[in-house]
Amino acid sequence: MRNHSPGDGSQTGAYYGPESGTRWFGLWDGFFAVSYLVTAVLLFLSGDSQATNPIPIAALTLMVPWYAAVGRPLMIEDTYGPRNLVFAAGLVTLFCLTTAFNLVGAFALFAVIPMLIMSLPMASAVVLATVANLCPVLVVAFTGEDLGLSVLGVLPISLLSIALSVLLGMWIKRVVRQSKERGLLIEELRRSRERVARLSHEAGISAERERLAREIHDTLAQGLTSIISLVQAAESEVRGAPDQAVHHLSLAGRVAKESLAEARDFVAALTPPALRGGSLSQAVRRQAEGLIAETGLEVRCSVMGEEKALPMAVSVVLLRTVQEAIANVRKHAKQARTVDVIVVFDQDRVRLLVRDDGEGFTPDGTQEGYGLRGMQARVEEIDGVASVTSSPGRGTTVEVSVPMTALAGEESHG
């Protein structure tokens, strides 16, 4: 049996909550009340001179507040200590007093024995239960001739009473223990559900923040970068080459409109404007044309193999990859002269390559910014593989490969 501190909030919360064994004690209270009433009525109805003696009724009645004030809290707390022994000794004393003045009071054993079992360790409870059951035998031994009873006639009944009372007390004790353990388990399950709900909520918030961050980076941030570059170019050309400045400002206005449309659509989780009403290859060609118009680089865009209709989720990821790769060319490949954008439709996969002949870098992970990490995260969501190959002076190649099994899976989900 476990010892619990009454001040332990974690335990008392489980014991006194709506799912604890405390609620079950209502049945035991009812059993105790019935036992008291039956014994009291029998004492009043006993047909000898002992019926006029108030001591048995008084001693029996004192068991009620003794149980309610001292014994019941001890049974609920499920603790063992000096108070338990005081309660048990007082209970046995009141019972023996009741029985000594009226043998009919022995019927109170049906309530006394279970209370001893529930408030004491088993060994101590059995000892005191035996003492309580021997009390009627001693009364018969001293006054049996006046009552017409013999010790041998009462002893079997006392032994049977011990057995039945002990079994009843053990059953009650077991049920109460199981109820308390169930209360602890339910409390732990409730806390686990709250913890899982909280973690799920936090994970959902984190995933949504990650999605918005990727969308903002791939749309608004890149669009603003292009606008800034075009406006700066126009400022430097407004006097020397006004026609070129107007052209750059026109491009800046077009990029601003496209960025605004992208912002509205990713908030509403709609199809990106670049993919609306066209295929992936057409959207990729438009991105290449935009890079030509903004930088004047030689951009070669090609599609190899027979183009297949792709699920929208895959098309969006591939388009965002092209946008990120082109943004990196614009920002980092200052010495680049040519850029190749290739979409390859194989039998078992679709591949995308964006290759430039710029200054390149050493891809050791330290130079990979949020854009590349976001691109790789996007590709992994559709079971694809993204890689970045580069070396100083030899340019950079971004390659994405998505297997046909992933394409089939996206179509079935759609």
Side-chain angles (χ1 to χ4, degrees):
M1 181 63 65
R2 296 164 295 182
N3 291 330
H4 303 303
S5 171
D8 188 350
S10 64
Q11 301 296 339
T12 55
Y15 286 172
Y16 290 94
E19 300 295 341
S20 70
T22 307
R23 182 178 59 181
W24 190 90
F25 256 79
L27 296 177
W28 163 247
D29 291 338
F31 174 77
F32 175 78
V34 170
S35 299
Y36 165 77
L37 291 175
V38 170
T39 306
V41 169
L42 291 176
L43 287 173
F44 276 117
L45 297 179
S46 59
D48 52 37
S49 60
Q50 292 179 339
T52 60
N53 192 335
I55 295 179
I57 291 294
L60 180 68
T61 303
L62 283 175
M63 292 184 190
V64 177
W66 186 247
Y67 158 73
V70 181
R72 192 176 191 274
L74 293 175
M75 297 176 193
I76 293 175
E77 290 175 4
D78 199 18
T79 60
Y80 298 141
R83 291 172 57 199
N84 298 69
L85 292 175
V86 171
F87 166 71
L91 185 66
V92 173
T93 300
L94 291 174
F95 168 75
C96 290
L97 188 61
T98 302
T99 306
F101 285 90
N102 194 327
L103 192 58
V104 177
F107 279 95
L109 277 173
F110 289 103
V112 171
I113 300 301
M115 283 194 285
L116 293 175
I117 296 294
M118 289 191 294
S119 60
L120 292 174
M122 201 61 190
S124 301
V126 171
V127 171
L128 284 179
T130 303
V131 171
N133 275 279
L134 289 178
C135 183
V137 177
L138 293 176
V139 171
V140 171
F142 287 103
T143 63
E145 294 182 359
D146 298 335
L147 300 175
L149 298 174
S150 65
V151 173
L152 294 178
V154 175
L155 186 59
I157 298 176
S158 296
L159 294 176
L160 180 62
S161 175
I162 291 175
L164 293 178
S165 299
V166 169
L167 288 175
L168 178 62
M170 292 177 63
W171 177 76
I172 293 174
K173 198 169 188 177
R174 180 180 179 183
V175 170
V176 171
R177 184 189 301 116
Q178 289 177 343
S179 297
K180 291 176 180 178
E181 291 174 352
R182 183 187 63 182
L184 289 174
L185 178 60
I186 291 175
E187 179 69 13
E188 181 62 27
L189 289 174
R190 182 187 65 81
R191 292 175 183 172
S192 298
R193 286 199 300 268
E194 292 177 354
R195 186 163 53 250
V196 169
R198 184 177 66 255
L199 292 176
S200 298
H201 179 67
E202 292 174 355
I205 292 176
S206 178
E208 184 62 14
R209 285 176 178 171
E210 182 72 15
R211 183 188 76 85
L212 291 176
R214 288 201 303 259
E215 293 290 348
I216 291 173
H217 179 274
D218 292 343
T219 55
L220 295 181
Q222 293 178 5
L224 290 174
T225 300
S226 297
I227 292 171
I228 292 172
S229 299
L230 291 169
V231 171
Q232 289 175 341
E235 287 178 345
S236 63
E237 298 166 345
V238 68
R239 293 187 178 181
D243 293 340
Q244 191 68 19
V246 170
H247 175 67
H248 283 150
L249 289 175
S250 175
L251 287 175
R254 191 190 74 182
V255 173
K257 291 179 182 179
E258 291 176 353
S259 298
L260 179 61
E262 290 276 6
R264 288 172 175 170
D265 287 336
F266 85 70
V267 170
L270 299 176
T271 303
L275 290 172
R276 195 172 301 157
S279 64
L280 173 65
S281 60
Q282 293 172 334
V284 170
R285 290 184 188 279
R286 285 193 291 269
Q287 295 297 317
E289 292 169 359
L291 181 61
I292 294 172
E294 293 177 24
T295 63
L297 292 172
E298 180 184 354
V299 182
R300 299 185 291 255
C301 184
S302 58
V303 178
M304 300 181 179
E306 183 181 354
E307 184 171 1
K308 302 180 179 66
L310 302 177
M312 183 55 62
V314 175
S315 297
V316 169
V317 170
L318 295 177
L319 175 62
R320 297 301 188 215
T321 301
V322 171
Q323 290 174 329
E324 175 61 25
I326 287 177
N328 286 335
V329 170
R330 190 186 299 113
K331 287 188 295 184
H332 303 298
K334 302 297 184 182
Q335 301 177 8
R337 296 184 303 275
T338 61
V339 178
D340 291 304
V341 181
I342 306 172
V343 181
V344 181
F345 290 92
D346 293 330
Q347 291 295 327
D348 59 344
R349 66 186 60 244
V350 58
R351 292 186 298 136
L352 170 70
L353 291 91
V354 180
R355 182 170 54 232
D356 67 76
D357 59 356
E359 52 268 39
F361 65 98
T362 302
D364 56 0
T366 59
Q367 294 176 278
E368 293 186 7
Y370 179 83
L372 291 178
R373 292 196 301 271
M375 178 190 70
Q376 291 171 339
R378 281 181 181 276
V379 174
E380 289 174 359
E381 289 177 357
I382 59 171
D383 297 330
V385 177
S387 64
V388 179
T389 305
S390 181
S391 61
R394 298 199 174 188
T396 302
T397 300
V398 175
E399 181 176 359
V400 172
S401 177
V402 182
M404 295 304 295
T405 54
L407 304 183
E410 290 291 339
E411 290 176 349
S412 64
H413 289 310

